[in-house]
Amino acid sequence: MGWGRFSGRGIGATLAPVLAVALTFVLLRGACSGNNVQGPPPTPPPPPPPPTPLDSAQAAAFLDTIETRTFHYFWDLTNASNGLTPDRSPTPSFSSIAAVGFALTAYPIGVERGYITRDEARQRVVTTLRFFWTATQDSSASGATGYHGFFYHFLDMNTGARFQQVELSTIDTALLLAGVLTCQSYFDGTDAIETEIRRLSDSIYRRTDWQWAAPRAPLVALGWHPESGFLGYDWRGYNEAMILYILALGSPTHPVAPGAWTGWTSNYQWDTFYGQAHVGFAPLFGHHYSHVWIDFRRIQDVYMQGRGIDYFENSRRATYAQRAYAYANPGTWRGYSDRIWGLTASDGPGDLTLTIDGRSRQFHSYWARGASFTENPDDGTIAPTAAGGSIPFAPEIAIPALYAMRHTYGDALFSTFGFRDAFNPTFTRSSAAGWFDVDYLGIDQGPIIAMIENYRSELIWRLMRGNPHIVRGLCRAGFTGGWIAGKCPP
């Protein structure tokens, strides 16, 4: 959802377009955030001594705990009557269609880990898919759920209708579809329900009209409003939208032209940040989202062939660069270290300026934080999902980071559904220990559970390596080598 948490989360072409697209969304995020409307959570105790290193058994138990609690965000809070997952909790909110995509991805994990039965999972999945297949699709300004096979960014949790005047989001639809196709691949039984899951999944994906969403073909627009038409910017340059173009290219019914991938990569920026040469994107979610579903290890497009690495290695380097940035801590924020790090789009303490330790500090509420050679939007707010989503790339630093966060901040940061969205040790207006979010966010919980599972069993990657739509999209984008070798037509 890249600065698409602003319009998905994606940054699109440049910062200016994102800000233009994002204004309504940012206001909605702020209005629904619990940061300024609820009291702070319990003040944590003083930080304990640094945790001792985890051995393999301790690490496995720790990951079990994170996965279990995070799974229950999706299972316990989703509306069982229509499958819609809340954008955040406990603050009452609308549903995020991207959060639904992560929920659909989490359900097979829940079955494999024994949190729920296969029958429980398939009943929830088929309910979700029936809702999205039958929900109103038309150009009306209110009452519809989507148009041309795409869906509005936020939906009413009960009715499923468009929330206020949010955009029809191409990236958030892509994240939803990725979850849909995960279930298509997982539920492979011959009984009536699993057969229906596969049929509905295929129909929902085939209905998505990527050609309609490319008014400046072959690139796909960030979104569309019934009141004003398409947004003026397209997805290009590195961010979370790789999955969008793989799905758009792989469509058997309405694919974009192969030139879309070249247009996407043409705005890549390559440079070195804290010793790591890679394609830059400041918030770490841009290095996570597409990797939730696609195993990019040892497969390459033309761009990565020219750089001699793959996208998995690119994300590993971005992860290490962020950790080095936190250790260097050029902004002298409290709490940053080689064990506690991670900047991405997340909640924050609020939009205000305070004088702390004799220095003027500007803070933000929901904001796309990050660190890269491209930019450094940093207000001292750390999001656990930044390290959690990086576990497959760099488990040796990501798992200890999460462990240090839990060990240091305790229940103020890690509670019912795992890690709360964010914390800021520098923001001491309400507590000497800093600010701690009251909410969990679905789009940040999703990468945590999915990427832990990919690290442990490769479950989602294995499922999607066999999905024909994903394979077709990668082939049309020009990927070769590794597991996709021999799967593309000559």
Side-chain angles (χ1 to χ4, degrees), residues 44-123:
T52 56
L54 291 169
D55 61 32
S56 59
Q58 290 170 324
F62 179 52
L63 294 179
D64 282 340
T65 301
I66 298 174
E67 278 201 87
T68 303
R69 294 196 187 189
T70 306
F71 172 81
H72 280 282
Y73 175 92
F74 297 104
W75 188 255
D76 296 357
L77 301 179
T78 293
N79 185 338
S81 67
N82 58 20
L84 295 181
T85 304
D87 176 65
R88 64 173 64 237
S89 181
T91 300
S93 78
F94 36 69
S95 172
S96 155
I97 60 168
V100 178
F102 284 118
L104 291 170
T105 304
Y107 299 149
I109 296 172
V111 176
E112 295 300 307
R113 289 286 163 189
Y115 308 149
I116 54 174
T117 66
R118 188 178 183 98
D119 185 60
E120 288 174 322
R122 63 189 178 191
Q123 291 296 333

Side-chain angles (χ1 to χ4, degrees), residues 320-383:
Y320 263 90
Q322 270 226 15
R323 184 214 191 196
Y325 168 87
Y327 183 67
N329 195 11
T332 63
W333 300 102
R334 293 183 183 179
Y336 284 25
S337 72
D338 61 345
R339 293 180 300 112
I340 296 181
W341 50 268
L343 304 179
T344 192
S346 72
D347 277 351
D351 298 302
L352 71 168
T353 301
L354 298 178
T355 299
I356 297 176
D357 298 332
R359 179 175 179 177
S360 179
R361 297 284 201 178
Q362 185 174 0
F363 299 95
H364 300 270
S365 52
Y366 193 90
W367 198 39
R369 299 162 177 86
S372 177
F373 56 81
T374 59
E375 58 183 336
N376 293 290
D378 182 7
D379 70 346
T381 301
I382 297 170

